Amino acid sequence: MVVQDRRGGGAAAVAVACGTGLAVGLLTTGCSPDGAAADDQEPSGRAAAAAAEVRNSAAALLRAGSARVRTSMETVSGGTRVAIRGSGGYDFATSTGWLRVVLPDPAGKPRGGHQPITEILAPGALFMKNRGAGVPADKWVRVDTASLSDGNLVTGGATDPLAAAELLRGARGVTYQGEERLDGVMVRHYRGTTDIGAAAGAASPRTRPALVAAEQGFTTDAVPFDAYLDEDGRLRKVRQWFRFANGAPKGASVTSTTELSDFGTKVAVRLPDEQDIYAGKIASPAP
């Protein structure tokens, strides 16, 4: 059962099915790069300041406490494109959250009558309801995220918001792209590449096991990103690109976008009771 703030919408997530049939199913407060202080720095100094701010955005989220979340994930494999959207809330203090995601068909149209899949995110675990064929409607499926080859960066159909931020702890080659307005808020846009292994080494104990597992799941440890930070150093939006083999000749690519807003909003999550967790065989991903 999910206890949720009704102002934030629903709960949930989904396993992504690629065209191959394989289920992918998942700070410093230094000088701003703009302004007189930044202009006085050597290029290497500006780059270091930019990288430091990006790497510490996870710490800024922990200070913020919680936020509302919007997610999108697009998977391309074997010429087939699958895109999903989600919304929910996340409590950074407890590393728990919920999402509600509806899986569209490959043409991008929502599937008629398909119920949203509910996902609860917790340290070391992913719980899904309406998981798919073979799972009773009133039961949850529990997955150990450290056992997933991608550490649940893409398996659940949405990247865990804290994991998305912690992944930036391995940021390198960061460049400042300028200021822009995002949902009415001025943000600083950064672009670069993050290294999964370096991020795992610098991540918090709650996120490290998942990132360590993710080192094995992708074709490369290098993950390109675009990150948007507000004046408090909080991550407002991050887009990350992943590649993995997926059994296809050219592999598969996943673009994961996480957007955060309404910091401090109430997010209450209750983990499923043991008797409500399905222990049988899962016949297939969500239809």
Side-chain angles (χ1 to χ4, degrees):
M1 174 182 293
V2 180
V3 180
Q4 59 194 32
D5 178 8
R6 292 296 178 182
R7 296 172 300 172
V14 66
V16 182
C18 290
T20 60
L22 178 65
V24 179
L26 282 99
L27 158 5
T28 88
T29 55
C31 298
S32 170
D34 57 342
D39 290 340
D40 291 337
Q41 297 180 8
E42 292 296 324
S44 59
R46 293 199 297 269
E53 186 167 11
V54 170
R55 290 170 185 160
N56 286 288
S57 58
L61 291 181
L62 290 172
R63 291 194 295 272
S66 60
R68 290 182 180 176
V69 182
R70 289 183 301 181
T71 68
S72 67
M73 185 171 285
E74 183 177 274
T75 303
V76 179
S77 178
T80 299
R81 185 185 304 269
V82 177
I84 61 175
R85 300 290 185 269
S87 63
Y90 197 91
D91 187 327
F92 295 99
T94 61
S95 302
T96 59
W98 51 264
L99 292 169
R100 173 174 290 163
V101 177
V102 176
L103 176 65
D105 64 21
K109 298 178 181 179
R111 292 182 175 181
H114 181 72
Q115 293 186 3
I117 293 178
T118 300
E119 177 174 329
I120 295 180
L121 308 167
L126 167 67
F127 300 89
M128 291 182 286
K129 199 171 188 179
N130 294 328
R131 168 63 174 80
V135 181
D138 61 341
K139 295 295 184 180
W140 294 83
V141 173
R142 183 189 187 282
V143 179
D144 179 0
T145 53
S147 70
L148 298 171
S149 62
D150 72 299
N152 194 34
L153 291 177
V154 301
T155 293
T159 303
D160 181 298
L162 183 57
E166 294 263 35
L167 186 56
L168 296 177
R169 292 189 184 276
R172 60 192 184 189
V174 180
T175 59
Y176 176 59
Q177 302 296 306
E179 282 191 333
E180 54 190 271
R181 191 170 294 276
L182 181 65
D183 291 334
V185 176
M186 290 304 298
V187 295
R188 298 186 296 277
H189 178 192
Y190 298 96
R191 178 171 294 160
T193 301
T194 190
D195 181 88
I196 300 177
S204 65
R206 286 178 292 184
T207 308
R208 186 174 299 124
L211 294 183
V212 169
E215 286 186 80
Q216 309 302 318
F218 297 100
T219 304
T220 174
D221 280 356
V223 179
F225 69 84
D226 277 285
Y228 304 78
L229 279 60
D230 65 16
E231 62 179 2
D232 294 317
R234 300 174 302 196
L235 193 64
R236 287 278 179 164
K237 177 179 178 179
V238 60
R239 179 174 289 118
Q240 296 160 328
W241 288 266
F242 304 94
R243 291 200 62 85
F244 53 98
N246 196 34
K250 295 184 178 181
S253 64
V254 176
T255 303
S256 175
T257 304
T258 303
E259 299 179 74
L260 304 168
S261 63
D262 298 320
F263 292 105
T265 191
K266 182 180 179 181
V267 178
V269 179
R270 178 181 173 184
L271 302 184
D273 293 329
E274 192 65 33
Q275 63 267 26
D276 294 327
I277 299 175
Y278 180 66
K281 182 178 179 181
I282 301 175
S284 69

